[in-house]
Amino acid sequence: MDSGSGGSHKDKSLSGPIGNTLKSPKASRAFMYTPFGGSAALDTAIGENMVRVRKGKQAHALIAPSHEHANQLETLRQVTLTQWKGKLDNADRTMRQHHNSVVAAGYTHKMRMRHIMHDPHLNPQQRKEALDNQRGDHALSIPHEYDMAKADKALYTPKYESLKQTEIANATVHVDIEPAHPQWPKLFPTRIVKKEKLYPSLHPDPKPLENIGHKDKLYVLGHGAPVSDALPTPGLYAKPTLHGPSLSPGALAQHLSDKGLPSNFEDLRLTSCQSVPLMDEITPHSVTAARSSGFLAPELSKAVKQSFPKLSVTGYMGNGLTFPFDSSTHLRALPGDAKKTAPRKQMSVKFPPL
């Protein structure tokens, strides 16, 4: 993206391979990991942390496969935060501008509703119709600009709060963005996050997963797809479609080993869509049967046997909802019907080490 006016970028070293994030004394922690980087990974991380932030819990840090990927993600994070903050500030200004009109419309609406409720000349059906009409009239009396601003607040506030607390654990640059021009968002197109090697790191690339404890949890972010004739081998994908970088189960197992995941690590979780087949009930028998299904999670559980003999791989039925708005839990949806959702915990299938 174009740096626009007033942008400055400072290199900031972190202590340790992925900073103080992994120096916590807690016995068990949880992290997110993206093998690919990119905006899709950042969106998934935002969604993962939305529920935690809503509950007042600490957001999970996101680890990238290299400093370069982490620096690009941090740049994208800062750019997105600035853009969303601008949208929220604009929404606040618009709502303040129309505050008096909204209050007046509300007062008029309340008086008319009260009059309808106490009108002795209306029978029950007429009263119901009059109340419905009045509700519709009231909705139309609210300035359109106010409604749009209110919608923006509802859309961007939870995502902004989540992204603000989502740390890119192994980034080695700090990006200061100071939009001096009132039309800054329009002057900030695409160069920063799309230009490769914008921030080549001054630090050697360590293995970013080497300081994760064997009792920690690791959520591996990526897109998935069901087993089908078009996709005989399941995999983890950088994009929602099958175009772009991908890793097969064997390649993913090797990637995790190459990036330093301890050989005694125990708890890995795949958030990708349809990483396990749908099951009527989760029993030891159904889990055993699922190992032969060809889906990503059971295939990965086989592929990690040599490098990670203690590793359990957890996958989730159905499709993940990237942004779980107004939910106190992560949600999964049935394939083909996004309206049928269930808490992710109920849709989890754990494959113990072989």
Side-chain angles (χ1 to χ4, degrees):
M1 289 187 178
D2 195 320
S3 60
S5 55
S8 61
H9 314 283
K10 302 174 184 176
D11 191 38
K12 183 177 68 174
S13 300
L14 300 181
S15 58
I18 49 179
N20 294 324
T21 305
L22 294 182
K23 301 301 183 182
S24 168
K26 284 188 176 181
S28 178
R29 304 154 300 175
F31 298 93
M32 300 178 291
Y33 177 67
T34 168
F36 308 111
S39 59
L42 195 62
D43 282 346
T44 304
I46 295 168
E48 285 289 311
N49 279 332
M50 278 174 67
V51 170
R52 298 188 61 80
V53 172
R54 186 177 292 119
K55 290 181 174 180
K57 296 181 178 180
Q58 182 178 358
H60 294 327
L62 176 61
I63 304 170
S66 68
H67 284 317
E68 183 179 339
H69 283 89
N71 292 344
Q72 290 172 347
L73 281 171
E74 176 60 17
T75 303
L76 178 59
R77 190 180 82 92
Q78 292 293 340
V79 170
T80 305
L81 281 172
T82 304
Q83 290 175 334
W84 287 354
K85 181 63 162 60
K87 288 180 181 294
L88 290 172
D89 289 345
N90 286 336
D92 283 336
R93 282 192 294 271
T94 300
M95 292 175 73
R96 285 196 299 270
Q97 289 169 1
H98 294 282
H99 175 75
N100 291 339
S101 298
V102 172
V103 171
Y107 178 78
T108 301
H109 171 66
K110 186 181 295 185
M111 295 299 293
R112 289 176 178 171
M113 293 285 282
R114 184 177 299 172
H115 175 75
I116 294 169
M117 290 296 297
H118 294 91
D119 189 340
H121 301 98
L122 298 177
N123 61 41
Q125 182 60 31
Q126 291 172 329
R127 181 171 287 108
K128 180 180 181 303
E129 291 176 356
L131 290 172
D132 289 342
N133 289 335
Q134 175 51 37
R135 292 189 187 96
D137 291 342
H138 175 59
L140 292 173
S141 70
I142 302 297
H144 176 70
E145 294 81 2
Y146 182 91
D147 278 340
M148 295 297 292
K150 188 176 180 181
D152 276 352
K153 286 275 288 186
L155 176 63
Y156 289 106
T157 297
K159 295 200 295 185
Y160 175 79
E161 292 300 327
S162 175
L163 183 57
K164 189 166 63 172
Q165 297 187 41
T166 299
E167 177 187 357
I168 310 301
N170 51 333
T172 60
V173 298
H174 177 73
V175 182
D176 288 326
I177 300 171
E178 302 169 1
H181 195 283
Q183 296 298 313
W184 177 82
K186 297 179 181 178
L187 300 174
F188 214 107
T190 57
R191 199 180 73 198
I192 283 185
V193 294
K194 287 191 174 180
K195 183 177 178 182
E196 295 182 1
K197 299 182 179 178
L198 179 68
Y199 292 128
S201 177
L202 299 179
H203 309 272
D205 256 336
K207 296 182 176 182
L209 300 178
E210 65 183 353
N211 282 343
I212 291 181
H214 70 283
K215 291 291 186 182
D216 292 338
K217 300 182 185 71
L218 186 66
Y219 291 88
V220 177
L221 311 185
H223 293 280
V227 173
S228 67
D229 292 339
L231 187 67
T233 302
L236 193 73
Y237 300 92
K239 299 179 180 180
T241 65
L242 305 186
H243 303 292
S246 64
L247 290 168
S248 68
L252 178 56
Q254 185 62 51
H255 174 92
L256 294 170
S257 179
D258 292 343
K259 295 301 178 180
L261 190 67
S263 61
N264 61 347
F265 189 71
E266 299 178 8
D267 190 352
L268 184 142
R269 307 179 183 199
L270 297 167
T271 65
S272 55
C273 292
Q274 303 185 55
S275 62
V276 294
L278 291 175
M279 303 179 186
D280 293 331
E281 59 178 346
I282 301 171
T283 64
H285 176 74
S286 64
V287 172
T288 299
R291 285 196 188 273
S292 302
S293 65
F295 281 69
L296 176 59
E299 289 301 306
L300 180 62
S301 73
K302 299 174 190 176
V304 299
K305 181 179 178 181
Q306 296 301 320
S307 299
F308 305 99
K310 297 183 178 181
L311 183 61
S312 292
V313 177
T314 298
Y316 303 93
M317 292 182 275
N319 297 334
L321 300 187
T322 301
F323 300 119
F325 289 106
D326 302 321
S327 175
S328 60
T329 184
H330 297 101
L331 296 174
R332 305 292 288 191
L334 289 180
D337 192 349
K339 293 182 179 180
K340 291 185 178 180
T341 61
R344 184 168 74 180
K345 189 175 183 179
Q346 296 178 12
M347 306 288 277
S348 68
V349 181
K350 184 176 183 178
F351 296 91
L354 291 167

